[in-house]
Amino acid sequence: MSEAGPRVALLDYGAGNLRSAQRGLERAGARVTVTDDAPTAARAEALVVPGVGNFSTCLHNLRSAGLADLVMRWVEQDRQVLGICVGMQLLYEHSEEGDVAGLGVLPGRVVRFDSEVVVPHMGWNVVHEARPDWLLAGVDGERCYFVHSYYAQPEEPSHVVATASYGGEFPCVVRVGNVVGTQFHPEKSADVGARLLRNWVASVREEAPA
């Protein structure tokens, strides 16, 4: 862990693979605080919202931990946020999983894969750049690790940075200003995921106050 790295709060709301995410972020150069306390998280330069499991349960846990308002405020202020898997999906307006409203800070919805494919979509899949973006340096055309049955469907096509294919094309990386979401798990995606995390941490470092 670099002492000079930006301060990143990894939100602990009982719905994420925290150890792997922490290690991945620290290897990428961040100073990571794992916390379930909103005031502590608010002192960081960036937030990471992990997420594994059911959308409704994750959303309930995020709210119960008192972290939902913090995430919403940071997204609305275009501060640095990284959502991983369900952590990304929670930012959208609605999910078909449980037919429930999300945080609603990004326009779009979360939908289930077509019934013709086996769910969950699990394993390694190629990430294809949808538009040029610094975030994908060293990532475009490489394989990352996915585990999910639902995916985000942004209202605005320009928000989609990268796609993957599983029974058709779906967004797997989105970015709206300083808000980034990955459907795959970069912390489980070996060297390719490490590159994406380094790219993201570098962008946080550039924005962090001197």
Side-chain angles (χ1 to χ4, degrees), residues 59-77:
L59 184 63
H60 172 78
N61 290 350
L62 190 71
R63 285 179 169 148
S64 295
L67 296 168
D69 287 344
L70 176 66
V71 173
M72 293 171 70
R73 185 165 69 250
W74 277 52
V75 174
E76 289 163 355
Q77 294 173 353

Side-chain angles (χ1 to χ4, degrees), residues 84-85 121-129 135-148 162-166 170-173 181-197 199:
I84 298 173
C85 198
H121 168 223
M122 183 166 61
W124 296 84
N125 204 341
V126 177
V127 172
H128 297 285
E129 185 179 75
L135 187 65
L136 293 185
V139 177
D140 179 35
E142 302 290 344
R143 291 180 178 272
C144 291
Y145 188 77
F146 293 80
V147 184
H148 62 121
T163 63
S165 293
Y166 189 68
F170 68 91
C172 66
V173 182
T182 66
Q183 184 57 68
F184 56 83
H185 288 270
E187 76 281 6
K188 296 181 179 180
S189 297
D191 290 344
V192 177
R195 285 186 210 119
L196 184 138
L197 289 177
N199 295 343

Side-chain angles (χ1 to χ4, degrees), residues 89-130:
Q89 295 178 7
L90 295 176
L91 302 177
Y92 285 91
E93 295 168 314
H94 184 269
S95 177
E96 289 184 352
E97 186 175 18
D99 188 22
V100 62
L103 296 179
V105 288
L106 295 183
R109 60 197 187 112
V110 176
V111 299
R112 185 176 171 87
F113 278 112
D114 190 280
S115 59
E116 294 179 2
V117 299
V118 175
V119 295
H121 168 223
M122 183 166 61
W124 296 84
N125 204 341
V126 177
V127 172
H128 297 285
E129 185 179 75

Side-chain angles (χ1 to χ4, degrees), residues 10-59:
L10 179 60
L11 302 187
D12 179 6
Y13 62 104
N17 186 19
L18 297 176
R19 288 294 185 191
S20 293
Q22 181 180 4
R23 286 195 297 268
L25 288 160
E26 287 177 343
R27 284 194 294 266
R31 289 179 289 162
V32 181
T33 299
V34 179
T35 183
D36 61 0
D37 179 66
T40 297
R43 291 195 289 271
E45 274 117 33
L47 303 181
V48 176
V49 189
V52 177
N54 178 273
F55 183 100
S56 297
T57 301
C58 288
L59 184 63

